Each structure stands twice: as structure tokens, then as C-alpha cells.
Amino acid sequence: MPLLEIADLSVDIKLSRSVVKPVGNISLSIEAGETLGLVGESGCGKSMTGLSIMRLLPSGGHIVSGSIMLDGRDLVAMSDAEIRAVRGNEVAMIFQDSLTSLNPTMSIGEQIAEPVRRHRGASRREALDRATEMLGLVGFPQPKSQLGTYPHQLSGGQRQRVMIAIALACDPKVLIADEPTTALDVTIQAQILALLDDLKARLGMAVLLITHDMGVVAGRADRVNVMYAGRIVEGAPTSPLFSHMHHPYTQALLGSIPKLTQDPDVELFSIPGLPPDLTAPPAGCRFAARCRLATEQCRALEPPLAGPDPSHVFACWHPVDGPVAVEVARPARLEPVAAAGPAGGYPEVGRPEVGHPEVGHPEVGRPEVGRPEVLVLDSLVREYPVTSGMVLRRQVASVKAVSGVSLTIGRGETFGLVGESGCGKTTLGKIIVGLEKPDSGTASFEGTDISSLSSRSFRKFRRDMQMMFQDPIGSLDPRMRVGAILREPMEIQGIGSRRTQDGIISDLLREVGLPAAAVERFPHEFSGGQRQRIGLARVLTLSPKLIVADEPVSALDVSIRSQVLNLMKRLQDTHGMTYVVISHDLAVVKYLSDRIGVMYLGKLVEIGSADDIYQRAAHHYTAGLIATIPEPDPDREKAKTAVAIRGELPSAVEPPSGCRFRTRCPAAAEVCAMEEPPLRDFGPGHQAACHFPLRAPLRQPVLVRSGESNSGIEHRVEDVHHRVHDDDE
Amino acid sequence: MTNIGEHSEELLLSSPEGGQIQGPRAGWRLALSSFVENKLAVAGVGIIVFFLAFCFLGPFVYHSNQIQTNLIAAYQSPGKGHPLGTDANGFDELGRIMKGGQAAIEIGLFSSLVATVIGTLVGAVAGLLGGIIDAALMRFVDVLLSIPLLFVILIVSAHYGATVVRLSLIIGAFSWLVSARLVRGEVLTLRVRDFVLAARTMGASRNRLIYRHLIPNALGVVIVNITFQVADSINFLALLGFLGFGLNYPQVDWGDMLSDALSSLQDGYWWLVYPVGVCLVLVVMAFNFIGDALRDTVDVRLRRR
């Protein structure tokens, strides 16, 4: 007997001029102790389903038909008073954005005590005792002293734990988790998901896990329901869903996600088009417009959710069997026309070099042999002052966003920067493009030092370096038409007559896959993926040599991501530009990049080719990231047992001494606190900064940054040899 | 297993890969239809249009003598020949209201225009440049805000005499403070948005940023503010007139009329007080309705529905 059973649920939302039907005839069930994953893209109705269970629909929304049976009682038929007694008591919900979901004016103790007082009639003291118990349960050290803290004093992960504590305070039977970890860093996400699993087992709850991340679902859900455009299109236990899916949408969705094992030379499978408009849903199967197997029957008649095996149901007239095998290989990349590099040529990679006083840049992360260098960063430092006092504003501390990063990028290659939030990768991207000036260190573009140029002299370099932004909504001026947006860079730089500009604009629109009629429209008339294409077209108007892409696909839906990623790769093949891709998503970075640099709290901790990073990671943080990133592969996910990286991200205002990762590193020792590890070679072009790396470094003397004293180096060189020697024995 | 590549190629060729454009129509049309739904706002527009016609076109239709006094006909109650009676000087009251309305609306519009132009420029510059310039400008605004506006105007109008233009300039010169603060706030939010960063990456000069990007996006707030300022200006003008420092004779505005008529209440000359009062209230209310509706329209969070 399932604990929660939804039968034929339909929800309508009445807008001012139309009626949206976000959920239509949904049926699902959850047993006690089971996690049901509800996956789908934005707009598919999964959040609305979760909200309908709690009867928390937005204004204008009401349940049209269907029933929601909780332990035999129908939640739809209940009166307001009855459902208020159920909310928070028998059914609890946690939301995505913990900052706005917690009351900023109440302490966390009071907020956790609130449902206890409401539903159990407890006195204030008893409720606070229960709050202390809950805080301990969700992993707060010294919970009694934390009762008085306020939400803004906590980090994102801690706030999410508080939300879980509030939800579980009255021992609910069902927990609805609506995108609980989407806003969190990957390492914190793993901790929160492990916590949810643990609590579910202890309290015997049923959990409805709503998310768009197939990797999360692969690891944590017992069964999965896939939603598309308000309908459930497939439902099965997790492993069969991933290995033998039957619905073309599930197949396409899973095929379009770049996995860590993805071959970068093969195009990602992408689903063309956009989801349907739910104010006027199509008559037949809702996926028919985008499905490659659609026939007339599909467009006319909606398939029922059924299947030969009652545990694995799907709604399709032409089911498929298993994952898709993509065979579209990418054409060989055009090698860009090689410009003359700096005189003196390039030393072979791997040969030890001790100091380059004449060239003046460090040996870090050289690109492949033969690629001329286009961007050289040397010991960049950028710190933001923290002021105190309203009137005088004296500086009391500084946020160390970037602390001494050096790297070299070759022409035509794609360099990926990976790291969690606060690691400084966005700041580094802005320094490269000239939006920020470094406090010390230099950045050179094709031999010229751009970090010290005035803004006027920098203007002519702007044609060569452009940036693609993360937020498709915020990166386009909402008051300008697309034509004007695309024309603006050319106007500013004074390129071409109006007619030439028009020609360039229409060429670019065609190239990025947008209709020519787009020039007359405003940005808000486009979808997120289309806006990102406009952003890409804008970047290309000046034919830049270097493009910094800051989280290019993070804000997009999963099925749209592959479209944009394929487009980016295709454009690089045609135009031969250099990319710097900044992202927290290692799979995306690995798919796009030739070389990857991993950053943590303002430092570059590892750098190497994509294969090096993935298969031969030397730094514990890199290994932890790879272990923690949820992959859409249930077998691999279930095999991950321990949480790889403990603890919270330290403050960037006072980063830990020595190695900044030591507070969370499983291999930390005393020397890690006293001495900062230098970058050491682990292979051609592969370097990492760790005193106790996961692999043996090559037997080489330690590389020197120009300016350090010799004696210190020799001491360290001996150390390395000593340690390497020990490893061998 | 079929070769996925071929099929998706066909789909690709049939329509652009990014998909067709499905979004709502152009911005201002959406705003207009959302504005029209607000019944009070439509009523407000109607009232304003009526009063514009009444005050500016009315005198062409309804001729009354506003120049030569006619003391014999003074204080006549509404009746034949004078729908709203006559005032102390024998002028026809209805004609007087029309004339007074002209001055009120002119001053209201002109002063808020002056205030908005100055305020927008100051706010945008302060918001974008930040630092010392921002601090200096905002302290200047603080200083001006602490000066009692009323006294300054009383002194100036007593000294120089008040005409439509002078009053507009003075009222405008003190009302720009509010819109400067508003625009500065908007610009502060806007300048860290990605599209401003994108423009900077392209090499946009500061002028271009202010005039092409920041001000057009801050306009929504500015327009809402204009309507409220018009309402406030008209109100303030009435106050001035009531205190006796309004326009000089023979020009007249509603405030003057109310002031003159105050004593008439005791004598029972209601037609000198209530019609003017009703007109004043209606016009100020209408501008406020329009301002509310515009604010709802411009606020993006509310707009999507």
C-alpha cells in the first residue's frame, strides 16, 4: 500500500488572459522508505506537482481533477483547516533557494521550533529542545549554541541543513525536496544528499526528489518518473531507466548530457526545438514536435502511460530500447594559421627549466608543442578590500579572490577553468578581458602587456578579446532590439558601413541557428537557449581571437545545453578562436577543453590535459571533485560510498595558511599548514600543487618562479627527491 | 539502431536549430495592454484628457469675459448665463476654472519636466561614476532636502513676482532631488548587470553607457516618477496660491481661486469653492492612478502575467 498516491491529477493556473495547464493527468505513487525521483526540464510541471501535494499552488492555481491519497486520506478534498494540519506535520517540503526560503528576521532555533509549537502544541522550551535535537541530527556541531544564529550568518549548505531540520521537526511521513541542491556547490551537494539519505533511512520517510539533474537522481532515487510538458512520459526503477529506457525523450535527454567519459570529438546528441506552450498544449503526444520517430498517429492521439511490465511504464507509440548511439563525428579541427611566436622558439615540454629571466614568464602549464602562445598570465593577484565604518570606510581586510595564478594559453586551444563558487575563476576571466585590473602580476596578450594599459589604449585590444556571459536574461539589454545589440560592437569599434554590418549580422544569425526575423525582436521574446545564441553571435561580431565563456550553459535547460555546446565547438572549428571556458561543471569543461586548470580559493591547484585531470588526477581536490560530481550512471553512483570532501569552503577573507585546501583534505598534515606547496610536474603539461599528491611526481627539480632565492629552492628540491624516493620504497 | 545524425540533420535543415521565436510581442505593446487592464488608470487617462480639453480648448467654445470686471454681476449664484455663477470681480466662474486649470497643468507639467531632466542626469552620473563624485552629489542633495522649500519659494516669489515660468523653474529646482535619488538607485542596480559589462567589454565609452544603456533602462522608474511629480506640483501650486503667493493677477490658478473663495464660504457662496476643489482633486487623483498603473506595468516581476 503506497504511502502517497496521486491519481490523475490535473492543475490549472488562471493568468490574466489565458489558462496554463502545467500538470495534466499525473499519476504516481511512493512507498514508505522509498525515494521517487521526478525529473524533467524547467516548465515540465514537476515543481507544480510537488506544490499541489501541499496544496500550495500560486495565486490563480487550482486542482481541476484527480486525487492525492496520503495514507488513505484525500488531500485534494480537504478543507483549508485540515490541510493546514497536514502541512509541515505529515508532509514537509524543502525548497531550492535557502536564502529566500528562511525568514531573515527569525533565528534558526525559532524557525525550527515553529512547526513543533504549531502541530504538537509544545511550549517554547520544549520546542527549542526539539530544535536543538534537530540541529544535531542535520550535522551542526554544538547545536545548543547555534539556536540563536540568523540565516544570513550561515553558508548556503548550512542554510539548507536548517531547512531540512525545519521540514523534519515534526517527523513527517513524506518529504518533498524541490531541487534541494541545485543552488549549492558540488561538494556541499554531496554532503546534503548523503544527509537526506541517512535521515530517510532513520525516519522511514517517503521522499519525492524533484530535480533536473539526472546525475543526482541516478545516485539517490529508487525509482524515477520522467516528466515532459506536464505529463509523465516514463516511470521505472532507476537502473532499468538508465540502461533500458523506452521513451524517446528519456533517451534523448540522457544522450545529450556530457558525461565525464564522453569522447570530445563526437557531437553531443541534441533535441532540436523547444518545449510546447502549455497555454495551448498540442493534441497528441506532447513530445511529437521534437521527436525523430513521430508519425501522424503521434500527433493526433496521445499515448497512454502503460507497458508490458507494470514496474516500467512509458507513454509512447513507438518506444525505443536503450540508450542512443551517436555516430556523428566532428570534422577535423582546422588548424589556425600560425602566427610567428616570440623569438627563441619554445623549449620542449618536460625538459626541466630553472628560471627564465630572459623570457620572463613561468614554466607553468605550457600548451602543446607548436601552438603559439596567445595569452600569458603571470602571478596575477586580485584582492577586493573589505571596509568597515560608514563614514570613513577604512579597509580592515581583503577578499583574496585571485592569489598568484600563472598560466599560458596557446592559439586555437580551449582552456577550461574549473572550481567551485568563490575560487576566483570569474575574477580571473574578467582580468583576462580587461574588466578588472590585477593588483599585481601581468597579463600579456600576444606579447603585449595588457594589464597595465590605460582604458583608451586597451580599446583596440577589445576587438581581440570578448566575453560570453552566464545569465542569458541579464546579458542582453532589454531595451534594445537584437539587431541593435548585434550592431553595437561594430559601432563602438567603427567597423564597416551600415550595409556591411547588416550583412555580418544576418550571416551570424544564420550561423548560430536563429531565424533572420530575430533582428526586429526584443530579448524577452526569446527562450534562454536562444538568448545564449544571441550572446554568442554578439561575441563573434568582432571576430575576436580569444573568447572567455563564463558559465556558458549553466543557466540553460539540460536539453538546450547540448545544442549550445555543439554550436560552440562548431564555431571554434570554423573560426579557429581560442576559448577560455569557466565553469563549475567538470563534465562540460572536459567536453569543451583541451587543457583544464582547477582552482581553489584563488589558487591554481592542478593543471593538465583533460585526460590527465580525469584519469590521472594528482591533487586531492581534483580527485574529490571528480568523485563527487553526480553522473547519470546508477552503477557508478551507487559505488560511491564515502563523501570525498568534508567540511565547508573557508572564507576568502582569511584563507587557511599554507595549502588552502588543507582544512578539507583527507591527506592533510602539519607541513601543509606551514608551507604552501609549489606546482610540480606529473607528466607533460600536467602539474599540481600538493605536498602529498595522489601520484608520484616526475623526478625533476622544483620549478622556480623568477625572483625566488636559490637556497630556498635547493632545500625544496632535496625535499622532493627525498619524498619521491620514499614513495618508491 | 538508426543513425541519429541523419535524422537530426533533416530536422535541423527544416527550421533554424534554435527553434522558432515563441515569446510575447514587443515590449511596449505588452505594457500597453497591461496598462489598459487597469480600469482606474484608464479612468485617469480619461480624466486628464477631459481636463486638457476643458482647460485649453474650452475657452474657444465657451466665451466668457475674464478681463473686464463687472461688479454689478459679482457673486451671482449659478443660473442663466453663468452655469457656475460669478466670483468677486464679476468674472464667470466656469471660465475662471478653465483659465486656472491652464496655469495649473502647465506649471505641473513643466516643473516636473525640469525636475526629471536635472534629476536623471545627476542621478545617472552619480550612480555610474561612484566614489567622490557620487558622495559629493548626494551630500548636495541632502543639503537641499533639508532646506524648507516653502520658505524659499515664498521669498523668491515675494521678491521677484511669480509667473508661470518662474514658478515652474523654482518648483522644478527643488523637486529634482527625489528623482535623482531614484535614478541613482536604478543605475546602481543596472551597472553591475551583465549587459553593461558586455558593453564595457566591447569598449563602450562612459557616455555611451549612460545614454544608450543606463538611462533607457532607468526610464521606467523615471516615467512613473514624473506622473507622481506632476500630481505633487499641482498640489503644491494650490498650496502656494492658497497662502497667497501664487500667480499674480490677472493670471490665476486653482489655488488662488480657493484662497479667494475661502472667505466666501461663510457667506454661502459655495459655487466658488466646491467646483474648483473637485477639479483639483480629480486631476491630482488621475495622475496618481496613472502613476500607479505605470509602476505596475514597469515592474518586471509583475509584468509576465
Side-chain angles (χ1 to χ4, degrees), chain A residues 123-280:
Chain A
S123 72
R124 191 162 177 273
R125 166 142 321 172
E126 290 168 6
L128 285 177
D129 284 340
R130 175 82 176 139
T132 315
E133 190 187 331
M134 292 309 302
L135 280 179
L137 200 63
V138 297
F140 269 81
Q142 291 149 6
K144 201 154 174 73
S145 62
Q146 301 274 18
L147 282 179
T149 50
Y150 282 83
H152 67 269
Q153 295 172 297
L154 302 172
S155 73
Q158 288 169 323
R159 282 194 296 260
Q160 198 67 304
R161 290 171 195 264
V162 170
M163 267 227 283
I164 296 174
I166 297 175
L168 299 182
C170 294
D171 278 331
K173 298 184 185 132
V174 178
L175 176 69
I176 305 172
D178 189 359
E179 305 268 15
T181 55
T182 309
L184 302 174
D185 281 327
V186 141
T187 49
I188 311 293
Q189 176 177 292
Q191 296 173 11
I192 299 289
L193 289 174
L195 174 68
L196 278 175
D197 267 354
D198 178 45
L199 290 172
K200 175 190 83 167
R202 263 201 252 187
L203 302 176
M205 296 184 297
V207 174
L208 179 64
L209 183 60
I210 302 174
T211 178
H212 67 273
D213 190 335
M214 301 299 285
V216 165
V217 145
R220 305 290 171 178
D222 300 312
R223 281 189 303 125
V224 180
N225 280 4
V226 180
M227 277 187 79
Y228 180 78
R231 293 270 197 267
I232 295 190
V233 295
E234 189 162 3
T238 318
S239 293
L241 187 91
F242 281 83
S243 54
H244 292 294
M245 75 285 293
H246 290 306
H247 198 280
Y249 174 64
T250 319
Q251 184 192 57
L253 194 62
L254 287 170
S256 70
I257 300 174
K259 300 181 236 322
L260 284 176
T261 46
Q262 177 89 30
D263 181 359
D265 286 326
V266 174
E267 269 207 357
L268 287 174
F269 186 71
S270 71
I271 316 178
L274 298 168
D277 179 12
L278 286 178
T279 51

Side-chain angles (χ1 to χ4, degrees), chain A residues 16-17 269 292 324 328 433 435 459 462 466 474-475 477-479 488-489 491 493 513 524-525 530 533 538 570, chain B residues 4-5 16-21 23-25 37 194-195 198 200-204 208 212-213 216-217 305:
Chain A
S16 55
R17 249 164 293 135
F269 186 71
R292 68 182 198 285
V324 64
V328 180
V433 198
L435 284 175
R459 194 173 289 188
R462 296 243 185 239
Q466 281 296 312
S475 61
D477 188 335
R479 300 268 165 182
E488 188 174 15
E491 271 177 3
Q493 294 286 338
H524 68 261
E525 302 184 54
Q530 290 169 326
R533 288 168 192 266
R538 175 175 63 185
R570 217 180 306 141
Chain B
I4 305 303
E17 188 193 53
Q20 288 301 338
I21 307 171
R25 284 301 318 169
E37 279 169 7
D194 280 347
F195 66 84
R200 282 175 58 201
T201 330
M202 291 182 247
R208 194 188 177 90
R212 287 294 213 92
H213 290 285
N217 277 293
R305 320 220 111 208

Side-chain angles (χ1 to χ4, degrees), chain B residues 125-160:
Chain B
V125 167
L128 183 62
L129 295 182
I132 299 230
I133 299 183
D134 179 26
L137 282 172
M138 285 303 111
R139 300 294 84 75
F140 180 57
V141 165
D142 288 341
V143 164
L144 282 185
L145 271 176
S146 57
I147 299 178
L149 173 57
L150 195 52
F151 290 125
V152 174
I153 295 195
L154 296 186
I155 294 171
V156 171
S157 65
H159 196 83
Y160 290 106

Side-chain angles (χ1 to χ4, degrees), chain A residues 15-17 59, chain B residues 30-31 33-35 37-38 224 291-305:
Chain A
L15 301 180
S16 55
R17 249 164 293 135
S59 65
Chain B
L30 192 66
S33 52
S34 143
F35 182 83
E37 279 169 7
N38 187 335
V224 171
D292 275 340
L294 278 180
R295 183 192 287 147
D296 289 346
T297 313
V298 158
D299 188 351
V300 189
R301 271 168 297 166
L302 297 175
R303 189 199 288 187
R304 245 1 100 85
R305 320 220 111 208

